[in-house]
Amino acid sequence: MSNITVCARFRPSNSKEKQNGNDSGCIRNIDSETFIFKDEKDEEFVFSFDRVFYEKSEQSDVYQFLALPIVRDVVVDAFNGTIITYGQTGAGKTYSMEGPGILECEEQNKGLLPRVVEGLFDSINSLDEEKTYSIKLSMVEIYMEKVRDLFDLSKDNIQIKEIKSRGIILPGVTEITVLDPAEALQSLSRGIANRAVGETQMNVASSRSHCIYIFTIQQEFLSRDKRTRFGKLILVDLAGSEKVEKTGAEGRVLEEAKTINKSLSALGNVINSLTCGLPGKASHIPYRDSKLTRILQDALGGNARTALLCCCSPSAFNASESLSTLRFGARAKHI
Ligand code: ADP
Ligand code: MG
């Protein structure tokens, strides 16, 4: 059985796409798992995923299917989990992850993050009293293979280490203990605001960096030996997967694109070696090929639960990028 859930999501077409008359050009839905995708040359491709979220899907559908089972496993059994949004810039990654805003957002529009926060606390509160829990939150951004602390922008080159007792850690990174959902949301919104500040300082678009939200859930057994266990839930809003060659990029933009491309390929390679690995045969998993995969090392594979949301525009104008996103997802699922 595979521990990776792969879903595709098509956002509604925007006013520009509607004006150009090429909205919804490329999808013919069959059912909740399978659809036909037509590219700009009218060639047809059939894709199947664990679930397809069409334009009218609700944020809560996405959360229920993709995130809630992982939240439960992290809280109840101290599993590690990763939830990733992938796709070209403008495809709906951040909308799916954050919603239109973290604070003061209408209930139905809330993204995965605020729902995960509520889900974590709800799961904890619904358990019996034999354990105590604490939740810590860190937020980092990876830009040009450097890891920056989004709660303290002066920490702009955080290292990644692996230690026996805890797995992958980020020494020195700010960890905020959050006692309730409101506090967690405040912290998240502060990290997101800091991200914008950092990007303005460096003149970088947010779509060119990976944003990583790390929840560490510590459980301590009250009875027995006071044993503690840790579960880690990581949410990743990836940098845009679009190719830049066609815009004639040069200089920093080209370097950015190459770096992003390299880390997204590394992610794809890691996921593929995890899903294609022959049972009982230890295969080499290339976690060290990028900062992204290194940070995710103990939250991908093994006992970890992984969900990948492949975000796409519904417009024929973006068909080639959408096709590349869907192929990334199909390869991850190995189907
Ligand atoms: P990305 O993070 O992939 O670059 P965004 O999440 O910022 O893309 O989405 C681009 C635009 O589309 C935003 O204005 C966002 O509000 C809108 N959008 C994306 N997905 C949806 C959706 N499912 N429903 C409504 N609006 C959406
Ligand atoms: Mg975004």
Side-chain angles (χ1 to χ4, degrees):
M1 204 204 82
S2 162
N3 278 338
I4 178 160
T5 300
V6 181
C7 302
R9 185 179 199 185
F10 293 93
R11 64 159 168 74
S13 44
N14 58 36
S15 53
K16 198 167 148 226
E17 289 163 345
K18 283 190 183 121
Q19 248 171 35
N20 293 341
N22 56 17
D23 57 312
S24 314
C26 34
I27 324 144
R28 218 165 54 239
N29 59 340
I30 296 183
D31 59 28
S32 61
E33 291 165 10
T34 303
F35 61 94
I36 296 172
F37 184 89
K38 199 160 75 172
D39 76 359
E40 67 271 39
K41 293 178 214 109
D42 275 352
E43 204 177 329
E44 294 190 332
F45 304 84
V46 180
F47 285 98
S48 289
F49 293 102
D50 291 298
R51 182 62 61 93
V52 188
F53 300 103
Y54 297 104
E55 306 181 24
K56 293 206 167 66
S57 66
E58 301 276 347
Q59 296 278 63
S60 60
D61 298 339
V62 179
Y63 172 74
Q64 297 278 337
F65 188 84
L66 192 113
L68 181 59
I70 299 184
V71 168
R72 291 215 176 108
D73 282 343
V74 169
V75 169
V76 176
D77 293 316
F79 280 122
N80 290 344
T82 303
I83 300 165
I84 302 170
T85 55
Y86 182 100
Q88 75 177 117
T89 299
K93 296 181 297 299
T94 303
Y95 184 88
S96 298
M97 197 55 96
E98 297 173 9
I102 287 288
L103 303 172
E104 290 166 29
C105 174
E106 273 182 56
E107 181 59 34
Q108 65 160 1
N109 296 331
K110 282 183 179 173
L112 289 170
L113 264 173
R115 291 175 197 272
V116 159
V117 164
E118 281 160 23
L120 284 174
F121 283 99
D122 282 352
S123 305
I124 288 172
N125 293 334
S126 68
L127 290 173
D128 49 27
E129 292 290 281
E130 68 184 55
K131 295 178 215 165
T132 58
Y133 282 87
S134 78
I135 302 183
K136 290 203 176 83
L137 171 64
S138 298
M139 272 181 73
V140 297
E141 174 178 62
I142 306 178
Y143 175 67
M144 295 296 271
E145 287 301 275
K146 271 174 91 174
V147 181
R148 171 191 281 246
D149 187 337
L150 287 175
F151 290 135
D152 181 351
L153 294 177
S154 69
K155 298 179 186 167
D156 63 357
N157 194 11
I158 299 274
Q159 301 301 303
I160 308 168
K161 287 219 167 78
E162 187 174 15
I163 56 170
K164 266 222 168 71
S165 55
R166 290 287 307 278
I168 298 294
I169 57 160
L170 303 174
V173 78
T174 308
E175 288 189 294
I176 299 180
T177 301
V178 289
L179 297 176
D180 57 47
E183 210 174 359
L185 295 180
Q186 286 292 345
S187 298
L188 286 169
S189 100
R190 197 157 64 79
I192 291 167
N194 268 345
R195 189 184 185 207
V197 169
E199 276 153 2
T200 309
Q201 283 166 0
M202 299 187 296
N203 190 23
V204 170
S206 68
S207 58
R208 313 313 289 155
S209 64
H210 307 303
C211 188
I212 305 185
Y213 308 85
I214 305 169
F215 295 91
T216 307
I217 296 96
Q218 177 180 350
Q219 13 181 307
E220 187 176 331
F221 290 84
L222 295 179
S223 54
R224 285 183 270 174
D225 46 1
K226 287 233 161 202
R227 192 161 55 95
T228 54
R229 324 193 274 188
F230 294 90
K232 191 159 61 175
L233 178 56
I234 305 185
L235 284 79
V236 187
D237 187 355
L238 288 170
S241 60
E242 60 273 11
K243 320 227 172 351
V244 299
E245 291 89 14
K246 56 184 167 195
T247 59
E250 45 186 45
R252 188 179 73 179
V253 175
L254 187 60
E255 283 313 305
E256 274 178 0
K258 282 186 190 160
T259 312
I260 293 167
N261 196 20
K262 209 171 147 233
S263 61
L264 294 179
S265 310
L267 178 65
N269 292 338
V270 163
I271 294 177
N272 292 336
S273 12
L274 289 168
T275 49
C276 300
L278 298 170
K281 204 168 175 192
S283 52
H284 171 69
I285 313 286
Y287 290 111
R288 286 176 182 270
D289 286 0
S290 72
K291 291 275 165 70
L292 174 67
T293 47
R294 184 77 174 135
I295 290 184
L296 296 179
Q297 177 163 342
D298 60 354
L300 279 177
N303 266 336
R305 306 284 190 249
T306 306
L308 175 66
L309 184 64
C310 298
C311 300
C312 297
S313 151
S315 157
F317 177 74
N318 289 312
S320 75
E321 290 297 344
S322 299
L323 194 56
S324 130
T325 296
L326 296 168
R327 283 183 168 144
F328 184 92
R331 243 163 53 101
K333 194 69 195 170
H334 191 49
I335 36 178

